[in-house]
Amino acid sequence: MPKRLILLFLFLLGIGNAAALAQPATPGAFDTKAAQAFMIEASTGTILLAKAEDQPISPASLAKLMTLDVIFDAIGRGEISLDTEYPVSENAWRTGGAPSRASTMFAALKSRVRVGDLIQGVAVQQANDSCIVLAEGISVSEREFARRMTARAREIGMPRATFTNSTGLPDANDPSGGGKVSMRELVTLAQDLQQKHQDLYKYFGQPDFTWNKIYQRNKNPLLLLNIGVDGLGLGFTDGEGFSIVASVERDGRRLFLALGGLKSDKERTEETRRVLEWGLSNFKSQRIFAGGEVIGDASVYGGAQSTVGLLAKMPVDVYVPVDTPDRLSARIVYRWPLTAPVAADYDAGTLRVFLGARLVRELPLYTKESIAQGTLSRRAFDAFMELTESLLFSWLWDRPLPA
């Protein structure tokens, strides 16, 4: 049997192109009181905790993080600046200001407020009036701004999230009640805010601010615990409970965490601290492939060579438990077969890294070199082999991989 056929058979059974790497042994099974949870280590992207992470929930006040992402992006592109001023409309004042008796920076009706001050109002106080003023200022109407929020979510890798307003307040005009978002998507949003807007991200960790002679403390209680948390936001929805998006940095390690479905404000604070401490204390970084190392081969049909090496552009590191009996394994997934000619540095597949049966990291793989078309006789032989292999193994296509 030709080498490429053997490789195909092994690959489709789910063990081809796999590297099993023995690990020492697991922190006891870890669970969280949260109904939904997702946590990753930033430098490697390793998934440390996942529980109903793709279940959509109402964003509540966590929608304000998306509002700030849109504003941060607009500042980065030069559309607006920190010194741009926006007027406080009656809608912003009545819905999110002093009359609302909710989180507010007490912006006065018909006054004008700097974008820099409005950002502090959102990041520090989670002020509803700040969000609405920003939304109306940059997009004329909050409804139009909500469409921009959803579009921005798609840009940064949030495939299903929707937003109907800038605050996350219940929306009587929308059956979804203010939009939907998952814990995985909220972590993606937190990453975007911290990694792409570091100069503005600092506002989330600001302990307090004084504006218009009004002093207000940061609403995030985790900032006072001195455990390295420097953001991001809190949420609450009737029927779905308390939620949080947090990021912590300690000893050069940064974690991003989203929790939902907690029963009380107190439980949210205690559980977030417990999960973050577990993530910081029970894992270590391990390199499994060097940058530029050929990790496996992909079959090439009609080429001068029958296979091409696949590599990752950067070192492949994972964040693994310091004590676990599970085995670390890596699997290459690619659309079989590659057809010549194949360019060098072509994004040809994905490396999936598993700890036991749990997917912990995914990253793209690229072709090591270019493969030219082969001779006419080789192309004819490969065409025959491709047809034969497709017929023999078509029942194996799209076999699900471990989740």
Side-chain angles (χ1 to χ4, degrees):
M1 183 181 290
K3 176 184 176 184
R4 68 169 67 93
L5 190 54
I6 295 172
L7 286 175
L8 174 67
F9 181 73
L10 292 175
F11 170 68
L12 290 174
L13 285 178
I15 58 174
N17 292 323
L21 305 166
Q23 294 294 308
T26 217
F30 182 86
D31 197 9
T32 172
K33 296 176 182 178
Q36 306 90 22
F38 192 66
M39 180 167 67
I40 68 167
E41 193 277 326
S43 66
T44 64
T46 303
I47 300 169
L48 307 184
L49 179 65
K51 180 180 180 181
E53 68 275 17
D54 294 315
Q55 177 184 330
I57 66 166
S58 300
S61 284
L62 295 176
K64 295 165 185 174
L65 300 181
M66 193 74 246
T67 291
L68 286 184
D69 196 86
V70 172
I71 297 301
F72 289 1
D73 178 65
I75 291 172
R77 292 184 293 100
E79 181 180 350
I80 60 175
S81 75
L82 293 176
D83 291 323
T84 300
E85 292 187 348
Y86 288 137
V88 180
S89 69
E90 182 169 353
N91 174 55
W93 175 75
R94 192 172 299 282
T95 305
S100 70
R101 299 182 181 274
S103 296
T104 178
M105 69 179 293
F106 299 100
L109 176 63
K110 297 183 180 179
S111 65
R112 297 183 67 85
V113 187
R114 288 177 64 253
V115 165
D117 294 322
L118 292 166
I119 288 173
Q120 289 184 85
V122 181
V124 177
Q125 185 60 19
Q126 297 202 161
N128 292 310
D129 52 353
S130 302
C131 290
I132 300 171
V133 172
L134 285 167
E136 293 177 340
I138 199 169
S139 295
V140 181
S141 73
E142 194 173 10
R143 185 68 62 189
E144 180 61 32
F145 184 77
R147 284 192 282 268
R148 184 164 174 170
M149 292 168 71
T150 300
R152 176 66 181 165
R154 298 295 177 272
E155 289 176 18
I156 66 174
M158 300 167 67
R160 291 179 293 277
T162 58
F163 300 91
T164 62
N165 57 47
S166 63
T167 60
L169 290 171
D171 191 339
N173 297 318
D174 191 282
S176 68
K180 293 295 179 182
V181 69
S182 68
M183 296 299 110
R184 187 193 298 270
E185 290 174 318
L186 286 169
V187 165
T188 296
L189 174 55
Q191 285 180 278
D192 194 77
L193 287 163
Q194 192 276 327
Q195 295 172 354
K196 295 183 183 176
H197 309 287
Q198 292 187 13
D199 56 331
L200 297 169
Y201 177 80
K202 64 185 180 184
Y203 287 118
F204 289 108
Q206 188 174 313
D208 51 55
F209 82 114
T210 299
W211 178 80
N212 200 24
K213 299 181 180 180
I214 300 172
Y215 173 80
Q216 293 179 296
R217 290 187 179 276
N218 197 305
K219 282 202 158 189
N220 189 343
L222 293 165
L223 297 178
L224 302 176
L225 301 181
N226 296 319
I227 60 174
V229 170
D230 54 14
L232 298 158
L234 311 172
F236 169 76
T237 307
D238 285 331
E240 294 184 343
F242 293 78
S243 55
I244 187 169
V245 177
S247 185
V248 62
E249 184 176 32
R250 189 193 298 173
D251 300 327
R253 293 176 177 174
R254 178 174 288 277
L255 308 182
F256 291 101
L257 169 68
L259 298 177
L262 292 158
K263 296 178 181 178
S264 67
D265 187 20
K266 182 174 183 287
E267 183 177 76
R268 174 173 59 191
T269 299
E270 293 175 349
E271 187 66 358
T272 302
R273 179 173 189 166
R274 187 177 77 92
V275 173
L276 289 174
E277 290 286 4
W278 171 77
L280 290 166
S281 304
N282 289 280
F283 291 81
K284 65 180 180 180
S285 180
Q286 179 169 329
R287 179 155 297 173
I288 57 175
F289 296 108
E293 176 184 350
V294 173
I295 296 173
D297 296 318
S299 296
V300 178
Y301 282 82
Q305 297 173 213
S306 61
T307 62
V308 62
L310 299 179
L311 52 83
K313 291 185 176 181
M314 301 179 67
V316 181
D317 296 330
V318 289
Y319 202 56
V320 297
V322 296
D323 190 26
T324 173
D326 292 329
R327 292 172 67 84
L328 197 64
S329 63
R331 182 175 301 158
I332 291 173
V333 180
Y334 69 98
R335 175 62 66 182
W336 169 85
L338 302 181
T339 303
V342 176
D345 199 35
Y346 169 66
D347 186 349
T350 301
L351 178 69
R352 292 179 177 173
V353 182
F354 297 86
L355 184 64
R358 185 168 64 90
L359 177 66
V360 294
R361 190 172 183 198
E362 253 183 313
L363 68 160
L365 294 177
Y366 301 86
T367 51
K368 178 185 178 183
E369 58 191 340
S370 61
I371 305 295
Q373 278 193 333
T375 62
L376 182 61
S377 59
R378 177 175 286 278
R379 296 201 301 274
F381 174 77
D382 283 353
F384 171 75
M385 290 303 303
E386 182 179 358
L387 175 62
T388 302
E389 291 168 16
S390 296
L391 292 173
L392 285 174
F393 300 109
S394 60
W395 61 279
L396 286 171
W397 281 114
D398 298 324
R399 188 173 187 272
L401 292 166

